Amino acid sequence: MIFKKSLIFVILSLSSHTLYAECTTDSSFSNLSLEHALKIMKANNLELKISKFNEQMKAHEAKMAQGHNYGKLDLKVQALRSNDAGNVFGFKLKSREATFGDFGFSDFMGAIGQGAQQANGDFGAFSQGLATQGDAILALQPKDLNYPDARNHYQTTLTYMLPLYTGGKLSQYGKITKALQTMSQLDTSKLLNEKIFQTRKTFYDISLVNNYITNLSSIIANIDKLSEIVSSMKNEGFAKNIDELEVQARKAEAESMLNQAKLNKDLAYQYLSFLLNKNVESIQDINDLAPIPEVNKEEVHKSNLDIQKAQLGLKITDMAIDLQKANFLPTLGAFGEYGSADDKAFNEFKDKDFYTVGLQLEWNLFNGAIDKHNLEKAKVDNLKVREQVNLAKTGICLQVRKTLTEIKSKDADIVNLTTQLDFANKVYETYQAQYQEGISSISDVLIKQSKELEVLLKLLTAKNERNSKVFELTSIINKEETL
């Protein structure tokens, strides 16, 4: 039974975490104070560092959203070569070098010249020849147009697109990404609270284990004294061999519990080293009962991180409604382009430059009522989150009251168990004296000692549970006390 209670205490003091000493750095700290440990943890804890990287990414996302307001400027440089008729003709037009010959006018003019020569100056005959041969002339396939020589084409274009009006979409995107950045900061603060909780609890766990080790050592010393008494009484014929064996068995049991406590202490140090990302060899013992922070309902509503996150989430849903409303409004954008093209790179750039400017209005008039339902969905989500904010406020207040009640209950248990421990110690001393007088048996003495050890375990477990609730309360109200 005693071993079971000891095991429970061991599990509690470990804070239910897996401990990895190899995760710590080579730096070591001895006689470390809680205040110094918290500073190291805030600077070095690996989970906090990762969370802060997430903050930085959200900050960049917010700046990216703002960047859309300033438009987009692109520079494009092309180097092409083609003998495709359409491309070559287009290249020449871009370079402002197109001639009538490029249209195949040489074949057309040849056919006209041949007709004039055949008319021999007779305009009537020439006109009659055009009338009869016109279709044949028009059916000519000009070689210069259809089979041009390959041509190089170098084009440099600078394009700028600017959103002038988006119905509020860009501004709402900017606000939402900024709010998400703030949300990531709240996540980091919540994680920091958790790490402060774990660091403080581990400090108090170690102090309680030290207290437990001190008491166990004292009990073992008492067993040694009892062993001397039994040995002396055995020599005088007042004690039996079985008495001596019972004392030795009890001492072995106590020493086993002491070894467990020391191993438990080592594991707690390993976990503390993991939290700080530094090797901790020893700490400054602190008062084994943590002070209870002051609680004010209005301050809790303002400072609790879960409530802050819920309220921020409500603001984001308000923005989401405005974002969906923007789908019913038109968008207007400006466009500007400037460039130059030629068959040689950057040749006669100014003489062959070009520009294009314009505006574009786009307005979705119908899409199967999808925008309408998206807006209604956003409104419903807003109502849901509004209720979640109310639930967070009432839930946190209930949790605070429940935690305070549990702390008070543990305080009462500690007072009661402290009294029981004093009484159990005196009873043990009384039975030990009675054993020397032959009134009590050695079994009676050891039973009273077991009772003393049982009460000690209950007391230390109650202190451990009470401290956990105090740190939990401190984390809920987001108030860092000086301990």
Side-chain angles (χ1 to χ4, degrees):
M1 186 68 178
I2 293 177
F3 280 115
K4 289 183 179 179
K5 294 179 182 295
S6 177
L7 181 60
I8 292 173
F9 178 72
V10 168
I11 294 172
L12 286 170
S13 64
L14 282 178
S15 305
S16 301
H17 289 283
T18 304
L19 311 175
Y20 297 97
E22 63 270 20
C23 293
T24 60
T25 62
D26 293 332
S27 302
S28 297
F29 289 89
S30 299
N31 198 32
L32 184 65
S33 68
L34 175 55
E35 183 180 359
H36 191 193
L38 290 173
K39 289 180 181 179
I40 296 173
M41 181 275 295
K42 291 175 184 178
N44 282 8
N45 184 267
L46 296 177
E47 290 181 74
L48 284 175
K49 287 182 178 180
I50 293 171
S51 185
K52 288 175 182 177
F53 283 131
N54 288 332
E55 278 188 41
Q56 293 178 26
M57 289 190 289
K58 292 297 181 182
H60 287 299
E61 289 176 6
K63 291 179 180 178
M64 287 162 56
Q66 288 180 336
H68 290 295
N69 291 291
Y70 305 108
K72 183 181 179 184
L73 179 65
D74 291 323
L75 174 66
K76 183 167 68 173
V77 179
Q78 293 177 294
L80 307 172
R81 182 175 177 79
S82 177
N83 69 346
D84 180 89
N87 286 340
V88 172
F89 189 70
F91 292 165
K92 288 187 175 182
L93 283 177
K94 277 282 188 179
S95 304
R96 304 185 189 278
E97 293 180 359
T99 65
F100 282 112
D102 296 322
F103 288 91
F105 268 68
S106 59
D107 294 323
F108 178 77
M109 294 301 293
I112 294 296
Q114 185 179 1
Q117 185 178 10
Q118 291 176 353
N120 197 21
D122 185 350
F123 184 76
F126 177 72
S127 298
Q128 186 178 1
L130 285 178
T132 56
Q133 299 296 323
D135 290 342
I137 294 173
L138 292 176
L140 290 173
Q141 296 181 353
K143 182 179 179 182
D144 292 338
L145 183 61
N146 290 327
Y147 299 95
D149 294 333
R151 178 182 172 91
N152 295 329
H153 183 71
Y154 298 91
Q155 180 170 317
T156 302
T157 309
L158 197 64
T159 306
Y160 182 54
M161 292 181 286
L162 178 67
L164 299 178
Y165 178 73
T166 61
K169 281 185 179 180
L170 288 181
S171 62
Q172 293 306 320
Y173 273 129
K175 291 178 182 178
I176 289 173
T177 53
K178 190 68 177 176
L180 291 175
Q181 179 191 354
T182 304
M183 186 73 79
S184 70
Q185 292 170 343
L186 291 175
D187 287 336
T188 300
S189 297
K190 189 170 178 62
L191 179 62
L192 175 61
N193 267 1
E194 179 184 343
K195 297 307 169 187
I196 290 173
F197 167 88
Q198 292 171 357
T199 303
R200 284 177 173 163
K201 186 177 185 308
T202 305
F203 251 77
Y204 277 81
D205 285 346
I206 292 172
S207 295
L208 283 171
V209 171
N210 284 338
N211 188 347
Y212 179 51
I213 289 173
T214 300
N215 280 276
L216 271 178
S217 298
S218 177
I219 288 172
I220 291 174
N222 289 337
I223 294 175
D224 288 336
K225 291 179 182 178
L226 182 60
S227 179
E228 292 175 1
I229 293 171
V230 171
S231 178
S232 175
M233 293 179 66
K234 178 183 175 184
N235 293 334
E236 295 177 4
F238 295 105
K240 303 175 183 178
N241 288 336
I242 191 65
D243 293 347
E244 203 167 39
L245 291 174
E246 282 191 57
V247 173
Q248 291 173 358
R250 178 51 49 84
K251 182 179 179 180
E253 183 181 8
E255 286 178 341
S256 174
M257 296 173 68
L258 181 62
N259 288 332
Q260 284 183 338
K262 289 179 178 179
L263 289 173
N264 183 39
K265 178 181 174 181
D266 290 341
L267 290 174
Y269 269 113
Q270 290 175 24
Y271 182 59
L272 182 61
S273 298
F274 170 74
L275 288 173
L276 274 56
N277 198 28
K278 296 286 183 181
N279 187 42
V280 181
E281 296 180 349
S282 63
I283 66 168
Q284 296 178 10
D285 279 344
I286 50 181
N287 180 15
D288 58 0
L289 291 181
I292 304 174
E294 294 183 5
V295 178
N296 181 281
K297 182 177 179 180
E298 292 181 0
E299 289 183 1
V300 170
H301 283 174
K302 291 179 181 178
S303 62
N304 178 264
L305 292 172
D306 287 323
I307 294 176
Q308 289 183 41
K309 289 179 67 175
Q311 290 173 333
L312 182 58
L314 179 59
K315 291 180 181 178
I316 291 175
T317 59
D318 289 336
M319 299 171 195
I321 291 175
D322 292 334
L323 183 63
Q324 294 301 326
K325 288 179 179 178
N327 290 326
F328 295 91
L329 300 173
T331 59
L332 179 64
F335 171 86
E337 183 179 79
Y338 176 75
S340 181
D342 199 5
D343 59 348
K344 297 178 182 178
F346 305 107
N347 185 47
E348 299 177 337
F349 193 93
K350 185 65 177 175
D351 293 334
K352 297 182 178 181
D353 66 348
F354 58 86
Y355 74 87
T356 306
V357 294
L359 297 172
Q360 176 176 296
L361 176 70
E362 186 176 357
W363 197 346
N364 177 259
L365 301 178
F366 179 73
N367 67 347
I370 292 175
D371 291 338
K372 176 185 176 183
H373 291 297
N374 279 333
L375 176 59
E376 293 303 318
K377 178 184 174 184
K379 289 180 178 178
V380 172
D381 188 44
N382 178 262
L383 293 174
K384 182 190 77 171
V385 175
R386 195 175 299 277
E387 293 305 318
Q388 287 176 337
V389 172
N390 294 331
L391 177 62
K393 288 181 178 179
T394 55
I396 292 300
C397 287
L398 177 62
Q399 190 176 359
V400 168
R401 288 195 293 268
K402 178 176 178 290
T403 306
L404 279 171
T405 301
E406 290 172 339
I407 292 171
K408 292 177 181 177
S409 174
K410 291 299 175 183
D411 281 337
D413 289 344
I414 289 169
V415 172
N416 180 271
L417 289 169
T418 301
T419 303
Q420 288 186 41
L421 182 62
D422 291 338
F423 177 74
N425 183 48
K426 291 177 181 178
V427 169
Y428 166 74
E429 291 175 352
T430 300
Y431 270 73
Q432 180 178 301
Q434 289 178 350
Y435 173 75
Q436 289 179 269
E437 297 172 2
I439 301 175
S440 299
S441 68
I442 192 65
S443 296
D444 292 334
V445 176
L446 294 177
I447 288 172
K448 299 306 177 184
Q449 188 184 63
S450 295
K451 180 63 177 178
E452 179 185 5
L453 188 54
E454 179 185 344
V455 174
L456 173 63
L457 287 170
K458 287 182 178 180
L459 175 61
L460 295 180
T461 301
K463 288 182 177 180
N464 183 280
E465 292 173 348
R466 185 256 186 204
N467 286 340
S468 294
K469 292 300 177 181
V470 171
F471 300 140
E472 181 182 331
L473 178 62
T474 304
S475 181
I476 292 171
I477 65 178
N478 191 26
K479 186 176 182 181
E480 187 173 344
E481 297 284 345
T482 302
L483 302 180

